[in-house]
Amino acid sequence: MGSRMSANLLMGTTMGLNVMEGIFGMTAADAQAGALKSQLGLMRAESEADIARYAESAQALKAEQSVRFLKSGVTLEGSPLEILDETVRVSGENISAMRAKTTADIMGVKSKASAIRGQGRAALVDGISKAATTYALQTRKTAGPSSKELRKELDNFSTNTGFDEGSYK
């Protein structure tokens, strides 16, 4: 009896540790994914600040070009106007490219965080699976007689005692 109790205690402890391993794996993955997700706000803010600085710089360049044209006595029509329009167009394209890169970077971080969370869930499922396997293996080792063995015992009992199973039903 003591051996069976020890085996059951060991089985329970092992199962508990397996589940805890899974929980710790999931908790660590959630923490790592949360840290990545917290970087997203910072990435957006930095990107918008960079874009704002670039837009100010482009606006300053356009203003400087306009002043230079006017100081040199050139009117802002024809080629000079096309140069200013080109400056605005290029800066707009660059700003769009900067936003697209930020969006791609953010999507990459979100994808990585999602993958890490998936690994955490997999760790939890693995821990639970290990616990179930431990339980199944241990109960198989300590299981009582099979149904065939029970049937044989019942038949022997009926024969030896004269007890008919059908009369009891």
Side-chain angles (χ1 to χ4, degrees):
M1 184 71 171
S3 170
R4 188 174 211 162
M5 186 184 296
S6 296
N8 287 338
L9 181 61
L10 180 60
M11 175 186 67
T13 302
T14 302
M15 289 172 58
L17 290 173
N18 288 335
V19 171
M20 290 302 294
E21 176 186 6
I23 290 170
F24 289 147
M26 185 170 161
T27 302
D30 279 346
Q32 189 177 3
L36 285 174
K37 202 166 186 181
S38 69
Q39 289 178 357
L40 295 178
L42 182 60
M43 287 174 70
R44 280 190 188 102
E46 286 177 347
S47 174
E48 287 304 316
D50 289 344
I51 289 169
R53 281 190 295 275
Y54 179 80
E56 287 175 16
S57 172
Q59 187 63 32
L61 175 62
K62 181 184 173 195
E64 183 182 330
Q65 286 174 330
S66 297
V67 168
R68 285 187 181 175
F69 284 134
L70 292 172
K71 279 186 176 179
S72 66
V74 175
T75 60
L76 296 179
E77 55 188 334
S79 292
L81 186 57
E82 289 174 9
I83 291 172
L84 293 176
D85 288 344
E86 180 70 9
T87 299
V88 170
R89 186 187 64 76
V90 168
S91 66
E93 288 175 357
N94 289 341
I95 287 171
S96 292
M98 292 168 77
R99 284 201 171 110
K101 181 188 179 312
T102 299
T103 299
D105 290 347
I106 286 171
M107 294 302 290
V109 170
K110 283 182 177 181
S111 177
K112 186 174 182 179
S114 178
I116 289 170
R117 279 201 174 92
Q119 290 171 351
R121 284 189 295 275
L124 178 61
V125 169
D126 186 51
I128 292 169
S129 175
K130 285 179 182 177
T133 301
T134 299
Y135 177 77
L137 291 174
Q138 186 61 32
T139 53
R140 179 184 245 178
K141 287 180 187 176
T142 60
S146 69
S147 60
K148 285 182 180 179
E149 292 170 331
L150 288 174
R151 170 55 54 197
K152 186 177 178 182
E153 288 292 323
L154 185 57
D155 289 342
N156 286 340
F157 177 77
S158 297
T159 304
N160 293 337
T161 62
F163 177 76
D164 182 13
E165 201 181 329
S167 66
Y168 185 71
K169 291 182 181 176

